[in-house]
Amino acid sequence: MSTMMKAMRFVGDLDDEFYSDERQRDVWNEASAVALQSILWAAFVSAAILPWVAGRTGAWISLALLIVALLGSVITIAYANRRDVDVYLLSNYNRPRVVISIALYLVAAVGIIARLKFDSYQESSTWVGALIGGIVGGGLAIAGVKLHQQRGKRREEAEELL
């Protein structure tokens, strides 16, 4: 078992006797999923509001919230991947909750950039470049995920034919 998996087992307390009962484990896993999603929604809503109502200080807090949300998401996806569950293959991005969360994220990003903008042309052009790079990078990431999903579906279809 890798160091990462050992650390995740420790963090999640996965060796506890509590997990020996299947129903308890399933209910707890569902409750944990609801909690994670609730925390992500709270972070996105707060990050979208704070720069606009609390100025520069709110923008810095929003940035920290988005970084923490990203870190939690990356850990979740990495753990699932290590357990042979491809989250990208199974995800459906054409759902209202995904569109709303992306919109909140973008409102937060615009607010952060607007509040943390700099006075000189060189500094502001760096932020504009970062925003454009983020949009292009996000678009490429979405395209990459879609391509990965299509390849996975084709692989499954080929395996079914065998």
Side-chain angles (χ1 to χ4, degrees):
M1 182 182 304
S2 72
T3 303
M4 181 225 169
M5 290 304 286
K6 287 178 185 175
M8 294 300 99
R9 289 195 74 75
F10 175 77
V11 169
D13 199 18
L14 301 181
D15 294 321
D16 191 275
E17 187 177 306
F18 175 84
Y19 289 104
S20 62
D21 181 278
E22 182 113 6
R23 182 179 180 283
Q24 284 179 187
R25 183 175 58 240
D26 286 345
V27 170
W28 183 254
N29 287 341
E30 288 176 5
S32 296
V34 169
L36 173 65
Q37 293 300 316
S38 297
I39 291 168
L40 289 175
W41 279 103
F44 287 160
V45 169
S46 299
I49 293 170
L50 279 168
W52 305 107
V53 299
R56 287 180 64 85
T57 301
W60 284 112
I61 294 169
S62 292
L63 184 59
L65 287 170
L66 293 180
I67 290 170
V68 169
L70 175 67
L71 180 63
S73 297
V74 166
I75 290 170
T76 303
I77 292 167
Y79 183 85
N81 282 336
R82 292 285 178 106
R83 302 287 310 250
D84 296 323
V85 174
D86 190 339
V87 178
Y88 296 112
L89 182 63
L90 302 171
S91 297
N92 178 4
Y93 298 99
N94 298 326
R95 297 171 37 200
R97 66 186 310 277
V98 174
V99 173
I100 293 168
S101 65
I102 290 171
L104 287 170
Y105 186 89
L106 291 175
V107 168
V110 169
I112 290 167
I113 291 168
R115 294 299 183 190
L116 298 180
K117 68 179 189 263
F118 297 95
D119 295 329
S120 77
Y121 172 76
Q122 287 179 328
E123 291 171 331
S124 63
S125 65
T126 300
W127 277 102
V128 170
L131 177 61
I132 292 170
I135 292 169
V136 170
L140 290 173
I142 290 169
V145 167
K146 290 290 186 188
L147 181 63
H148 184 76
Q149 287 175 332
Q150 290 171 351
R151 286 181 183 162
K153 286 178 185 175
R154 278 186 248 142
R155 194 175 329 117
E156 284 180 9
E157 290 170 357
E159 288 174 2
E160 287 176 6
L161 294 174
L162 295 177

